[in-house]
Amino acid sequence: MLDGMDPHLLRTYVTVARLASFSQAARELGYTQSAVSQHIAALEQDLGAPLLTRRPVVPTPAGERLLEHAGPLLLRLDAARADVVRIAAAPRHGLTLATTPTALAPAVLAALPPAGVVLRVLTRAEIPAAVATGAAELGLVDGLAAPSDPLRLPDVAPLTTHGIAEEPVSVLLPARHPLAGRTGLRLGDLRDARWLDAPDAALPLAQAHPATAGGAFRPALRYEGTDLRTLTALVAAGHGLALLPRSAATGATGTVAVPLTAPRVVHRTELLHGGAPAGAAGEVVRGLLSGGTGRG
């Protein structure tokens, strides 16, 4: 991004590109359509390159490249604002916690205050941004990792993370699956199995690829939701296998959870926050950090 680029112009450009419409962007941003056009023209003049074709409204190659930079840059600006506001503001009595569906372990639920909590189930990619921009005071993310290794999280802002839980991983199969009676399964032996591609409900297959020495999985169905009941129903109906933490896999109707014996990975859950959490958020952090390790 060039020195002196106006973030208001950049935000207008991102909105126009996302909506593929000057008029819709004007309505969303609260500007006139003329003002939106002036913003785009000023940005194009500043960069010396056309960013959008007008009919249809589509980013040019230069515009596509700018979009790759714009998202992280704008997120950093929003995170900086939220961080400063967080320091200056009085502690909140309530708490918004952003979480994946598989990160809500019993210890987490026990640490929550009895009232004033809002739980937002988001995708793994959305949670760091939600915490960084102040949309949530705390975040819970999870995934596959070697024992005691931290998760690889996007660098959206200076956030502090704490490892708060690790548990075994299970392969969830239909109850009538030929492998349902096994006492353990090696992931490398399941390359030819039918899998559910459910990155936001199950543990992501993308995280399992390196663990199987590059062996490709064959997704039979893609599920883009976050509901665990829907995921387990799909497994029970024979649409594919899924990787889940043991606590989430056990007891689902019509399925069997078989322990994953190789590779040696665990389901790891990490707590995210910005700055020094206070109020209800601070109480939850203190309640969860017995034995946890933080990294910032």
Side-chain angles (χ1 to χ4, degrees), residues 198-289:
D200 300 318
L203 297 176
L205 285 177
Q207 293 182 353
H209 285 182
T212 57
F217 290 100
R218 181 164 56 96
L221 182 150
R222 181 174 175 85
Y223 172 54
E224 296 184 348
T226 58
D227 182 65
L228 286 177
R229 283 193 175 187
T230 300
L231 175 71
T232 56
L234 289 169
V235 173
H239 290 291
L241 314 184
L243 289 179
L244 284 172
R246 182 176 61 187
S247 60
T250 305
T253 303
T255 66
V256 172
V258 179
L260 183 69
T261 56
R264 189 167 174 261
V265 293
V266 295
H267 169 250
R268 179 177 173 88
T269 301
E270 295 189 356
L271 177 69
L272 282 66
H273 62 80
E283 293 176 9
V284 170
V285 171
R286 288 189 291 272
L288 287 173
L289 290 193

Side-chain angles (χ1 to χ4, degrees), residues 7 39 43 51 81 97 102 125 137 145 174 193 203 207 247 256 279 284 289:
H39 283 189
L43 189 58
L51 300 174
R81 176 182 176 83
L97 172 65
T102 47
E137 284 80 34
L203 297 176
Q207 293 182 353
S247 60
V256 172
V284 170
L289 290 193

